[in-house]
């Protein structure tokens, strides 16, 4: 008992030094309370207003009939939520590939089945006896166990938000080492065991990787090497990826220099690239051999490109990745593990009364995670969160992709979407097999608008001309800071869905989904922006004085995390 209190005090000091992470980006900008009061508007528009709506509909139809869009498949639905009025639709009942608009469904399900204050936890325990020696050193005659319920925040952006240039992903691991050292422990006589049982991997993941890590079904093979398609795990570290930087050598013809962050022996490097002449074309590629953790560097990097080239590469077997890097940090601090480094098996039993808490890290609250997820369109966070949603939906201690997708379908059903308007394979929208109609997305947006969770849901969305994936869009227009939306992009797919809050206090929900285009993505975005600007200009028309709603003050910009 005395020993337990000693460890608790030691770790408390470490937590004070490390600090609890609060991502600045995840804090919502200040919105006017007028936006959420939503006083009722007149049930019917005046004759003049009805003519304005007809003119708006004609203008929207003209935009989508532009000759440059004749080969693009558009699905569109726009409606006034304030008046329960359909403004415009085009093939809105058809199913489209949502791309990252899928994250709207994931976040809506998270807000439905989890509390906004929910926090993930990663804990480190000692199991066994601590033997002290005459020189005041000590050894743990037993195992060191690390367990988590799916914490996605063991990465630099969350652990060191105050250091946006070079945040340390191993900050928590260093705190674990410091706690052990302050107790005099330099040797772990037993094993380092990772308990990743909080997530239930798919059969494919079990067959391929022994259940260490999980993927959504139907991902493109050429996506699997990169961080955007990183596997998920209840034991996750550094977004289950590694940052690879390649810099030219000082001599043409030599191999370029490769730097890994974090530096770890868990991956191997196959450097086939060369430093090329000053004015040559860069052909350098950084990828990973599928099914392994061998990173392959190939092609040429001009000697003049001193800033180098980088990629975020996904890591296979994420639980073992975490355990390996933790072991390396402990070793660097002078702590030796004499046993195995392994994942928990079915035979391992850890009674709570036999465990001594060594260290613990609580993530920021869920609302911060969801805000970063939406604004920065993080595939990794979406996949991690959906497993947790699945566990809550089923009332289980284990989360799975299947259960998470059932939770999404449940939310869509409550929102009034039809069964055949949705087909889901992942949480993030990276899978091209996903299908949903603009009607179904607007049904979800309408349902969230009328729910008690509308305010947090709205504040997770990117704001036009202000932050997230919309930071460079709709600037200096009536739609700036009045469009709150989620974008989506895959090759040949560009989507945007969300809300527009008019200067006159009228709320609109919209979904615009484009598929099968061959022109530049920017051309599609320009048309989407023209539509939103047109709608914002329409919604700038003053309402009758009895129902007019003042425009909200400009949101206060908060410093963004990396």
């Amino acid at each position: 008992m005395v020993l337990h209190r000693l460890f608790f005090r030691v770790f408390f000091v470490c937590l004070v030094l490390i600090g609890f992470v609060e991502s600045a980006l995840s804090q919502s900008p200040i919105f006017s309370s007028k936006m959420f009061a939503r006083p009722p508007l007149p049930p019917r528009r005046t004759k003049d207003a009805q003519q304005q709506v007809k003119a708006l509909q004609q203008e929207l139809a003209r935009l989508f009939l532009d000759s440059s869009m004749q080969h693009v498949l558009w699905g569109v639905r726009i409606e006034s939520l304030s008046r329960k009025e359909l403004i415009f639709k085009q093939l809105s009942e058809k199913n489209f590939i949502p791309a990252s608009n899928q994250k709207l469904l994931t976040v809506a399900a998270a807000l439905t089945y989890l509390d906004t204050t929910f926090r993930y936890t990663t804990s480190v325990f000692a199991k066994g006896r601590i033997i002290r020696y005459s020189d005041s050193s000590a050894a743990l005659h037993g195992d060191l166990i690390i367990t988590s319920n799916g914490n996605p925040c063991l990465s630099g952006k969350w652990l060191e938000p105050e250091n946006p240039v070079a945040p340390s992903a191993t900050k928590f691991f260093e705190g674990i080492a410091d706690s052990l050292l302050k107790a005099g422990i330099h040797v772990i006589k037993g094993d380092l065991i990772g308990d990743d049982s909080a997530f239930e991997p798919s059969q494919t993941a079990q067959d391929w990787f022994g259940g260490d890590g999980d993927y959504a079904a139907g991902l493109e093979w050429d996506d699997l090497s990169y961080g955007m398609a990183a596997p998920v795990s209840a034991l996750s570290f550094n977004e289950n990826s590694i940052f690879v930087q390649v810099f030219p050598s000082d001599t043409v013809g030599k191999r370029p220099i490769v730097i890994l962050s974090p530096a770890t022996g868990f991956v191997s490097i196959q450097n086939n690239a060369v430093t090329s002449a000053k004015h040559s074309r860069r052909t350098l590629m950084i990828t990973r051999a599928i099914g392994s953790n061998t990173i392959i560097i190939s092609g040429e990097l001009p000697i003049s490109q001193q800033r180098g080239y980088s990629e975020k590469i996904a890591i296979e077997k994420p639980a073992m990745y975490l355990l390996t890097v933790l072991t390396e940090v402990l070793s660097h601090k002078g702590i030796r593990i004499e046993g195995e480094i392994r994942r928990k098996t079915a035979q391992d039993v850890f009674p709570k009364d036999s465990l001594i808490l060594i260290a613990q890290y609580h993530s920021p609250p869920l609302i911060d995670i969801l805000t970063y997820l939406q604004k920065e369109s993080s595939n990794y966070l979406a996949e991690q969160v959906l497993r947790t949603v699945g566990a809550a939906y089923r009332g289980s201690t284990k989360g799975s992709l299947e259960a998470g997708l059932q939770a999404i379908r449940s939310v869509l059903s409550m929102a009034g979407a039809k069964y055949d308007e949705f087909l889901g394979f992942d949480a993030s929208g990276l899978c091209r097999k996903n299908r949903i109609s603009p009607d179904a997305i607007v049904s979800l947006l309408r349902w969230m608008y009328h729910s008690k969770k509308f305010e947090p849901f709205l504040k997770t969305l990117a704001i036009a001309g202000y932050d997230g994936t919309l930071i460079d869009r709709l600037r200096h227009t009536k739609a700036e800071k009045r469009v709150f939306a989620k974008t989506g992009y895959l090759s040949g797919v560009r989507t945007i869905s969300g809300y527009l809050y008019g200067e006159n206090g009228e709320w609109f929900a919209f979904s615009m989904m484009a598929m099968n285009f061959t022109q530049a993505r920017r051309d599609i975005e320009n048309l989407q922006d023209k539509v939103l600007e047109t709608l914002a200009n329409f919604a700038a028309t003053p309402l009758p004085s009895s129902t007019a709603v003042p425009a909200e003050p400009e949101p206060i910009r908060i410093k963004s995390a990396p």
Side-chain angles (χ1 to χ4, degrees):
M1 200 60 190
V2 172
L3 187 60
H4 180 85
R5 285 198 297 269
L6 172 63
F7 275 116
F8 181 80
R9 289 171 183 170
V10 168
F11 182 62
F12 180 76
V13 172
C14 290
L15 278 183
V16 171
L17 293 174
I18 294 172
F20 289 103
V21 177
E22 293 293 342
S23 170
L25 179 63
S26 67
Q27 300 180 38
S28 299
I30 296 175
F31 290 76
S32 168
S33 59
K34 299 286 187 181
M35 297 175 68
F36 302 106
R38 306 202 296 273
L41 299 181
R44 294 180 59 84
R45 298 185 190 272
T46 64
K47 288 186 178 180
D48 287 345
Q50 290 174 14
Q51 290 301 316
Q52 290 175 343
V53 171
K54 288 183 180 180
L56 171 64
Q57 293 168 337
Q58 292 171 355
E59 176 60 14
L60 294 177
R62 186 191 67 79
L63 289 172
F64 286 109
L65 286 173
D66 188 282
S67 59
S68 65
M69 297 292 156
Q70 61 182 325
H71 299 301
V72 183
L73 183 62
W74 281 100
V76 184
R77 185 179 181 91
I78 303 171
E79 63 180 58
S80 169
L81 298 173
S82 301
R83 297 179 184 274
K84 300 180 181 179
E85 175 186 23
L86 176 64
I87 299 297
F88 183 82
K89 63 174 290 186
Q90 178 173 308
L91 298 180
S92 62
E93 71 285 356
K94 303 296 183 183
N95 287 335
F96 288 76
I97 299 173
S100 282
N101 276 200
Q102 184 88 347
K103 295 181 177 75
L104 290 168
L105 316 182
T106 298
V107 170
L111 290 172
T112 300
Y113 293 108
L114 297 171
D115 194 278
T116 55
T117 60
F118 167 82
R119 293 176 187 260
Y120 289 94
T121 302
T122 302
S123 304
V124 180
F125 299 97
K127 181 179 182 293
R129 294 182 303 145
I130 297 175
I131 306 298
R132 300 197 175 278
Y133 305 114
S134 57
D135 61 356
S136 298
S137 66
L140 171 62
H141 285 248
D143 302 322
L144 196 65
I145 302 159
I146 183 166
T147 183
S148 179
N149 58 347
N151 195 342
C153 297
L154 286 183
S155 64
K157 73 165 63 71
W158 301 102
L159 293 170
E160 283 199 318
E162 74 283 356
N163 182 15
V165 177
S168 172
T170 59
K171 192 77 172 179
F172 178 58
F173 296 165
E174 292 162 14
I176 296 169
D178 291 342
S179 295
L180 292 169
L181 291 174
K182 285 181 181 180
I185 298 175
H186 290 77
V187 180
I188 310 296
K189 292 288 187 179
D191 298 341
L192 174 61
I193 304 173
D195 182 357
D196 60 350
S197 59
F199 285 178
E200 186 176 348
S202 66
Q203 187 61 51
T204 300
Q206 294 179 49
D207 292 342
W208 286 10
F209 310 113
D212 188 354
D214 192 21
Y215 290 99
L219 296 185
E220 301 276 326
W221 280 96
D222 52 358
D223 287 340
L224 294 177
S225 294
Y226 301 103
M228 65 178 177
V232 300
S233 172
L235 277 182
S236 286
F237 163 70
N238 201 44
E239 299 188 355
N240 298 334
S241 61
I242 191 166
F243 190 61
V244 183
Q245 294 174 286
V246 182
F247 297 94
S249 171
D250 58 1
T251 305
V252 172
K254 284 189 176 181
R255 302 290 184 202
I257 300 163
V258 181
I259 298 176
L260 302 178
S261 181
T264 176
F266 190 71
V267 301
S268 60
I269 302 294
Q270 184 177 318
N271 189 354
N272 302 324
V274 295
T275 302
S276 56
K278 183 177 180 180
H279 298 295
S280 61
R281 185 170 66 91
R282 178 185 62 78
T283 60
L284 189 85
M285 287 187 61
I286 305 173
T287 187
R288 178 176 55 79
I290 300 299
S292 77
N293 283 312
T294 299
I295 296 173
I296 301 172
I297 318 293
S298 60
E300 298 183 354
L301 182 63
I303 196 170
S304 55
Q305 293 193 7
Q306 293 301 308
R307 292 186 177 181
Y309 181 77
S310 62
E311 284 283 6
K312 186 178 178 182
I313 298 296
I315 295 293
E316 301 284 15
K317 299 188 175 181
M320 287 304 299
Y321 175 43
L322 180 151
L323 294 172
T324 300
V325 176
L326 173 56
T327 302
E328 291 168 342
V329 170
L330 294 178
S331 177
H332 181 73
K333 292 270 192 174
I335 300 171
R336 186 174 76 255
I337 296 174
E338 293 188 345
E340 292 183 67
I341 302 168
R342 62 182 179 86
R343 293 166 58 225
K344 178 182 178 292
T345 67
Q347 288 71 42
D348 289 313
V349 179
F350 307 129
K352 287 186 177 181
D353 58 1
S354 69
L355 302 177
I356 302 170
L357 180 64
I358 300 296
Q360 198 166 66
Y361 167 65
H362 299 288
S363 76
L366 179 68
I367 189 60
D368 289 4
I369 295 170
L370 297 181
T371 301
Y372 192 93
L373 186 168
Q374 290 260 66
K375 288 182 181 291
E376 300 303 315
S377 200
S378 171
N379 294 343
Y380 162 77
L381 286 178
E383 299 298 341
Q384 291 278 137
V385 166
L386 190 64
R387 270 68 173 181
T388 307
V389 171
Y393 173 70
R394 287 186 173 176
S396 170
T397 58
K398 291 180 180 285
S400 67
L401 175 61
E402 178 188 6
L405 292 173
Q406 287 177 350
I408 285 179
R409 186 170 284 284
S410 171
V411 167
L412 284 172
S413 177
M414 288 187 283
K418 298 175 184 176
Y419 187 86
D420 58 359
E421 288 182 306
F422 171 70
L423 182 64
F425 287 85
D426 68 5
S428 63
L430 185 60
C431 178
R432 299 183 72 93
K433 292 183 178 181
N434 293 318
R435 295 291 186 274
I436 194 167
S437 70
D439 281 353
I441 288 184
V442 171
S443 291
L444 179 74
L445 295 172
R446 185 192 314 120
W447 185 68
M448 292 302 294
Y449 171 80
H450 290 292
S451 78
K452 294 179 181 179
K453 296 296 180 71
F454 177 59
E455 183 170 348
F457 182 69
L458 184 76
K459 290 181 178 181
T460 66
L461 298 172
I463 303 172
Y466 176 71
D467 68 7
T469 57
L470 289 176
I471 192 169
D472 294 321
R473 293 177 64 174
L474 293 162
R475 285 186 171 181
H476 312 301
T477 71
K478 288 284 187 181
E480 183 178 15
K481 297 176 185 174
R482 292 190 171 278
V483 168
F484 310 86
K486 183 72 202 76
T487 57
Y489 175 69
L490 292 170
S491 176
V493 177
R494 191 55 166 151
T495 59
I496 183 169
S497 301
Y499 302 97
L500 186 147
Y501 179 63
E503 282 187 13
N504 60 8
E506 189 167 0
W507 278 100
F508 297 85
F510 64 86
S511 180
M512 288 184 278
M513 311 181 81
M515 279 176 52
N516 301 339
F517 58 85
T518 56
Q519 59 263 63
R521 178 183 70 182
R522 189 59 195 163
D523 292 344
I524 304 299
E525 292 174 355
N526 286 339
L527 179 55
Q528 291 172 341
D529 289 355
K530 286 179 183 177
V531 169
L532 292 173
E533 185 178 353
T534 301
L535 185 62
N537 288 333
F538 167 80
T541 304
L543 296 171
S545 58
S546 60
T547 58
V549 179
E552 82 284 8
E554 286 194 356
I556 298 174
R557 177 175 283 280
I558 297 173
K559 184 179 179 182
S560 296

